[in-house]
Structures are given as C-alpha cells and as structure tokens.
Amino acid sequence: MVRVVEDRHKTFPRTLKIRFRGRNYPIFRQKTSLAAGIAEETCHMSATSLKPSPWWTPDVHADRRPFLMARNRIQAALRGWFAARDFVEVDTATLQVSPGNEAHLHAFETAAIGHAGTQTPLYLHTSPEFACKKLLAAGERRIACFAHVYRNRERGPLHHPEFTMLEWYRAGETYDVLMADCGEMLALAAETAGVSLLSYRGATCDPARPPERLTVADAFTRHAGIDLLATIRADGSTDRETLAAAMRARDLRVADDDTWADLFSRVLVEKVEPELGFGRATILCEYPTAEAALARPAPHDPRVAERFELYACGVELANAFGELTDAAEQRRRFELEMAEKARVYGETYPLDEDFLAALALMPEASGIALGFDRLVMLATGARRIGQVLWAPVAETAP
C-alpha cells in the first residue's frame, strides 16, 4: 500500500517519516500505538556497522522454528490456492535497470561489469511488478510470484531490508476480484496456522468476517472530520489550501512548506490508519488520483483511482491496483516522482523504458502486492518480522 514517526519534513530525517505511495510496503511507516515495538527492535542494533546475528544459535533457532514451519505451511497452502485457480507461478529477476520510481523509495544499487570493464548500474528490485506486467504483455493471463525484494533504509518490527512479496495479477478482471481474494487468503492463512483469529501485539482480527470496504474519502470523514473530495478538483488536481484549512480547524499541524500530498499523508497516518483492521479486516479503497501510483482512474469519478490497501490488526498487508496501461500517463507520473526525489534526496532512479513500452501491449488487468512475512506474523502471533524469516539480514548501525 513503514513509518516510524507520523510526520513529514523537508530535510534528510524525512526518510524516517514519509508515507510511501506506491505498490509495496510504505517506507519507515509505523503506527503510534506500536511505538514500543520500534524501541524494542531498535535496542538490538549495535554501535558498530555490523552485529553478529544470533538467529543461527541452536537455542534461538529452536524458539523461532515453530514460526518458520508455519511459514512453510502457509506458503504451500497459498501455492495450492493459486494452482486451483489456474494461476501460473513465475520467477522474476532480482536485478533490474530500475528499482521503481516512487520518490521516497530507497533501493540497493550495484553494477554489472562487462568484459571490457565497463559498468552498468543495476538495482535490486523493490518489487517484481515491472517484470510481472511485462509477462502480462507477453500473453500470460493469471500469474503469481513469491519474490524476495529489497528496501534500503528500512528496519523495524514490521520491516526488513529483504523480505518476501507475494504478487498476483489477473488479466481481464477487475480489482474487486482482488478484494475477494484477500478475504480468502486471510482465512486460509489462519486455518493453516491453526488459529481462529489473526493477531498482532494484542490486536485481533477475525478472518472469517468479510473485510469492511471503506473509501478513503469516507475514512477521512469518519475518523478526521475532513471532506477530502472537497480538496480535489474535477480533473483530479488538488487544492492544498482547502485541505490545510480543514486540518487547522481540527488542530492538526500544518507546516508552511507542506504540499497537499504531505497533508494528505499526515491525516491518513495520524487519524485514519490507526483505526483500520480491528475486529475484521479493512479494505481502504478509492485513493485520490494524485496518490494513484500505478493505478488507473476510477471510471465513475476521475478524482479517485482504482487502488486499495488491505489492513488487519492495524497492520498494512497489501496494496492493489486496477492497473494503469496508459504509457504516457505513467511516464508523467514517474517523472513527477523522480523530480520530487531529486528535490528531497538529491538523487533519482532511471525509468524502465522496456516497462513503459510493454504497457502498450499489456491487457486490462488488476494486480496486488501482499507482504507475505507480515501475513505469517499475523497468523502465528509473531511480534517481530525477524521471527518469521529463515535467515534474517545482518543488523547494521542505525
């Protein structure tokens, strides 16, 4: 759909406080109610650049092994779910020419060295999304992918530099079908783990109950008392001053240099997300077009897009799109994101021109990315993501 502090600033510390708007996990995004967990996780960090990892010691592994065996069972069950529905499991390359083009996403960079010693920058992918959509352009219709993906500047109870993303795509089907998929997968994960409730740090969610479907606009009204659509013009452009005035009226902080996106994110993180996914899962849908990422505009209202995020136990689990196939519009969005990245961080990532070319051949489709490790955490009651990873990445200095 990874925040440590629900705020946004224009200097380097912003990397710890920004809500990621693209397909996958948000960057350094964490609910305030889970702040104690952040401190718990951070205290394990060493003052040196690398700390010996204790996960391989027999006693620690014995404690972790029940979580890991449940992980294997859940993964096998999901693979069976996809196979029963005629999905083809695909395996995408980790090295890509572009890691993704969201402004606040941070990748791991390397280089391919040719026979003559020339170096070409490559990146560890942050999602298999570009490759999966190329496969849709190639003619695949239903595909699923368990991919190890990589995010720099991320570590915490719910975040890890390397984690597993489960993505699946349905050509010729709407994103409403993905909503139904999510409900079935939550129930399947719980059943496979032998539990009746999903849980995280005292919060619970009943996977047998159908997820609530809540539009972002309705969520802003319900939890923040703000008319979000009044801040979005008919063409999808945004009105920063109207949103700022509504926030000031409710004693929410507004900085002079905050953009509309900054303000939107603050309300979402501080007022809306802490209320989602308790008792039953929440599907937060119809994001503003300005926050669409790779989603297409909704046919019934150009102010919003076919995008939803799935929440359970206060944890964001998945981010889904009715996929945008307009290459020119996608290029425009990418360029805006990279301009923002250059402004804030002084760096950019290249565009994947093959991906943009593939959009011309890609059929209408819906797609979703689900944090598989997080799903396992909720099904097993694990408190930290490292408990459900077979071999966690070595810890580094903060």
Side-chain angles (χ1 to χ4, degrees):
M1 275 79 284
V2 214
R3 301 90 157 153
V4 173
V5 180
E6 289 80 284
D7 195 7
R8 296 177 68 148
H9 298 283
K10 306 303 184 288
T11 56
F12 176 77
R14 178 175 179 169
T15 58
L16 299 179
K17 303 166 184 175
I18 295 259
R19 183 177 189 283
F20 171 57
R21 292 175 287 144
R23 157 99 44 210
N24 308 312
Y25 285 163
I27 294 174
F28 287 100
R29 171 184 172 197
Q30 185 61 60
K31 306 297 183 295
T32 306
S33 61
L34 304 181
I38 297 166
E40 174 186 340
E41 189 81 1
T42 304
C43 74
H44 296 295
M45 303 298 285
S46 169
T48 60
S49 60
L50 287 177
K51 172 186 173 183
S53 297
W55 58 263
W56 47 266
T57 58
D59 57 333
V60 173
H61 181 69
D63 288 338
R64 295 173 65 245
R65 196 169 187 274
F67 295 110
L68 300 173
M69 298 307 293
R71 175 194 177 98
N72 282 12
R73 293 195 301 272
I74 293 169
Q75 188 170 37
L78 291 177
R79 282 192 159 117
W81 188 93
F82 284 115
R85 289 156 181 79
D86 297 324
F87 280 80
V88 175
E89 184 170 347
V90 301
D91 188 14
T92 61
T94 296
L95 289 172
Q96 298 287 336
V97 299
S98 174
N101 296 108
E102 287 85 9
H104 308 296
L105 179 151
H106 302 282
F108 290 88
E109 182 176 358
T110 185
I113 302 175
H115 292 300
T118 56
Q119 296 192 17
T120 302
L122 290 175
Y123 302 86
L124 299 183
H125 67 177
T126 58
S127 162
E129 179 173 7
F130 289 1
C132 285
K133 290 182 178 178
K134 291 173 186 176
L135 288 170
L136 293 179
E140 296 296 337
R141 301 292 296 174
R142 288 187 177 183
I143 57 175
C145 180
F146 284 93
H148 279 236
V149 298
Y150 306 84
R151 299 292 179 83
N152 221 337
R153 306 189 189 185
E154 295 192 24
R155 192 141 199 164
L158 289 167
H159 307 92
H160 203 72
E162 178 180 354
F163 59 94
T164 300
M165 188 72 74
L166 168 58
E167 295 200 11
W168 68 99
Y169 293 82
R170 290 175 172 271
E173 298 181 76
T174 68
Y175 86 147
D176 300 274
V177 180
L178 299 178
M179 297 181 187
D181 290 347
C182 287
E184 292 185 29
M185 288 191 178
L186 294 179
L188 179 59
E191 178 186 1
T192 304
V195 298
S196 58
L197 295 175
L198 302 175
S199 63
Y200 182 66
R201 296 181 182 264
T204 61
C205 172
D206 185 351
R209 297 179 62 188
E212 175 189 21
R213 298 190 185 187
L214 180 66
T215 69
V216 175
D218 286 344
F220 267 57
T221 300
R222 179 188 299 179
H223 299 300
I226 291 175
D227 183 352
L228 179 64
L229 294 182
T231 76
I232 306 173
R233 303 181 185 95
D235 62 357
S237 62
T238 56
D239 183 342
R240 186 261 185 201
E241 295 309 317
T242 299
L243 181 54
M247 290 176 63
R248 291 190 187 100
R250 286 150 187 82
D251 296 324
L252 292 171
R253 191 178 67 81
V254 176
D256 291 341
D257 59 349
D258 279 334
T259 65
W260 182 94
D262 295 329
L263 299 176
F264 170 85
S265 181
R266 186 169 299 133
V267 176
L268 187 68
V269 171
E270 293 183 6
K271 295 297 183 181
V272 175
E273 290 183 327
E275 307 298 329
L276 304 180
F278 299 100
R280 62 169 170 162
T282 301
I283 289 174
L284 188 67
C285 58
E286 296 189 10
Y287 274 68
T289 305
E291 300 286 315
L294 286 81
R296 61 189 173 223
H300 69 278
D301 189 343
R303 295 176 297 175
V304 298
E306 290 189 348
R307 175 184 176 184
F308 76 79
E309 293 189 359
L310 172 70
Y311 294 83
C313 304
V315 175
E316 181 186 336
L317 285 178
N319 192 6
F321 302 149
E323 302 293 354
L324 179 68
T325 55
D326 182 334
E329 171 61 14
Q330 189 64 76
R331 181 184 296 276
R332 185 190 70 83
R333 295 183 189 179
F334 282 165
E335 289 174 347
L336 287 174
E337 287 290 309
M338 290 301 92
E340 178 69 358
K341 188 174 186 67
R343 184 184 72 84
V344 177
Y345 305 110
E347 63 180 3
T348 64
Y349 297 136
L351 305 189
D352 185 339
E353 294 294 343
D354 277 350
F355 168 68
L356 292 171
L359 289 182
L361 299 178
M362 182 178 152
E364 295 293 313
S366 60
I368 185 168
L370 182 144
F372 175 67
D373 313 289
R374 289 184 178 184
L375 178 62
V376 174
M377 290 178 67
L378 300 191
T380 61
R383 294 176 60 83
R384 300 184 305 277
I385 193 171
Q387 292 175 282
V388 301
L389 301 177
W390 276 95
V393 174
E395 292 181 352
T396 58

